[in-house]
Amino acid sequence: MILAIETSCDDTCAAVVSTEGEIASNVIASQGLLHARYGGVVPEIASRHHLELVDAVTADALERAGAGLDEIDRVAVTRGPGLIGALLVGLSSAKALAASRELPLVPVDHLHGHVVASTLAPDPVEPPYLCLVASGGHTFLARVDDPAGYSVLGQTLDDAAGEAFDKGARLLGLGYPGGPAIDRLAREGDPEAFEFPRSAPGELDFSFSGLKTSLLYAVRDLGDRAESRSADLAASYQRAIVDALVNRTRAALERQGLERLAIGGGVAANSELRTAVADLGVPAWIPPVELCTDNAAMIAAVARFQEPLEYPSYLALDAAARL
Ligand code: KG4
Ligand code: ZN
């Protein structure tokens, strides 16, 4: 059994997963509401709450799995990328747990976690596959031939798709995080009411900063009428983001000759995106929402394929804001 801890942003997460990829527990303590009043994640507040929560969340993950530390064979933890203070809490905690039993430790790349979340049971995707990862901090297309690694085929040159959702929501006067708020409001609007750009920076890369600016101008031009058109604005804006993601995904599938698709990252929770990727003509692995947004089960998923560090070699290991 693998015990995994993830604290790269504002969710304190722990999970217990078997080496076959069966999830015994996947606990997520979201700090979302604590940061909402600031309109985004405040790094220092996130670190402090991770510190308060990490022991309880880990104990809860073990309890829900019906396991004690005796049943754990290795500890996995997110090493980066993410908020450095937040990462340090999870890494220190994982090191302490592993060292207390002289267990091996697997330091994991958070993005690798999003890429292989869909290799978990009960319906694991088999490589080779294409994975679209779209989260608050990252947006990229990855090719996976062996889940021990991945190669990036294209990525965003500016904002991440989740950032585009969050910034768009702010312009529309919706709360944080913006993705779920736009997703909800868009259901009542007309996705063709406004013409927003689908920028094509070439190859398989993405760009979302121009789109955000167009929304800003549309809201400004509407003036007093913007509020009454907010559902149409949300629907059209969401359609533009989803189109950009789906068009590049289709192109990558064709160019790479890949016949299986997985999606991951917080934006993979978006209802329009989930419907659109299911219609791409290849089998699509669309994980449940709790495996799309940040979680520790996906960190354990990576640890199934990666060589662990033996005790005590990992004690000097540092977290990394960027990998
Ligand atoms: O993967 P994640 O939980 O954290 C990061 O590693 O960034 O992703 C969070 C992002 C936020 O930008 C949030 O607005 C977006 O995922 N998100 C959504 C939805 N749910 C979360 N975006 C669009 N539609 C959703 N339903
Ligand atoms: Zn993430």
Side-chain angles (χ1 to χ4, degrees):
M1 297 294 261
I2 303 164
L3 170 66
I5 296 177
E6 144 70 42
T7 61
S8 65
C9 191
D10 63 339
D11 294 319
T12 316
C13 316
V16 176
V17 173
S18 76
T19 42
E20 284 77 42
E22 279 139 9
I23 302 172
S25 65
N26 186 25
V27 179
I28 303 167
S30 173
Q31 304 179 11
L33 291 174
L34 292 164
H35 297 274
R37 60 190 286 205
Y38 304 105
V41 177
V42 184
E44 181 60 22
I45 293 178
S47 318
R48 286 169 191 238
H49 284 289
H50 283 311
L51 201 54
E52 286 171 5
L53 291 166
V54 71
D55 286 347
V57 167
T58 306
D60 195 21
L62 286 165
E63 194 184 314
R64 284 170 195 240
L69 279 178
D70 284 345
E71 277 80 44
I72 301 299
D73 306 296
R74 62 174 76 167
V75 178
V77 64
T78 306
R79 183 175 169 235
L83 304 171
I84 192 69
L87 288 163
L88 277 169
V89 176
L91 180 65
S92 310
S93 180
K95 277 188 198 172
L97 277 169
S100 71
R101 301 268 167 152
E102 303 193 3
L103 291 172
L105 184 92
V106 191
V108 172
D109 162 13
H110 176 84
L111 301 175
H112 195 176
H114 282 304
V115 171
V116 301
S118 21
T119 64
L120 290 164
D123 178 27
V125 58
E126 290 289 330
Y129 66 91
L130 178 76
C131 188
L132 166 69
V133 176
S135 74
H138 304 271
T139 297
F140 62 96
L141 283 160
R143 181 186 172 107
V144 182
D145 290 294
D146 171 348
Y150 63 98
S151 49
V152 175
L153 305 172
Q155 59 192 314
T156 183
L157 304 178
D158 39 57
D159 291 349
E163 209 176 342
F165 271 107
D166 293 336
K167 289 178 176 170
R170 194 184 294 199
L171 289 171
L172 294 175
L174 307 172
Y176 170 86
I182 290 193
D183 198 347
R184 274 193 300 276
L185 186 59
R187 284 177 206 152
E188 294 150 32
D190 173 5
E192 280 158 21
F194 293 90
E195 188 79 34
F196 288 126
R198 276 83 167 142
S199 73
E203 294 299 307
L204 298 174
D205 292 329
F206 304 88
S207 167
F208 293 105
S209 64
L211 173 62
K212 178 191 64 196
T213 311
S214 323
L215 176 64
L216 174 71
Y217 290 155
V219 170
R220 192 181 288 169
D221 292 347
L222 284 164
D224 292 344
R225 287 171 297 136
E227 209 179 316
S228 64
R229 302 293 309 276
S230 65
D232 287 343
L233 286 164
S236 304
Y237 187 72
Q238 173 170 286
R239 175 64 58 85
I241 298 176
V242 170
D243 275 355
L245 294 171
V246 170
N247 290 341
R248 293 301 167 357
T249 303
R250 186 185 296 109
L253 284 166
E254 282 167 11
R255 282 188 210 190
Q256 296 282 316
L258 289 166
E259 285 165 1
R260 280 187 285 268
L261 171 68
I263 60 173
V267 178
N270 184 264
S271 53
E272 188 171 347
L273 179 66
R274 292 167 85 87
T275 311
V277 296
D279 288 342
L280 274 173
V282 297
W285 273 258
I286 305 174
V289 170
E290 64 275 16
L291 291 180
C292 292
T293 51
D294 288 347
N295 67 88
M298 71 179 193
I299 303 305
V302 177
R304 297 161 60 214
F305 309 111
Q306 198 172 303
E307 206 52 44
L309 301 174
E310 291 305 323
Y311 173 82
S313 65
Y314 49 78
L315 288 177
L317 190 75
D318 237 333
R322 290 170 192 281
L323 286 179

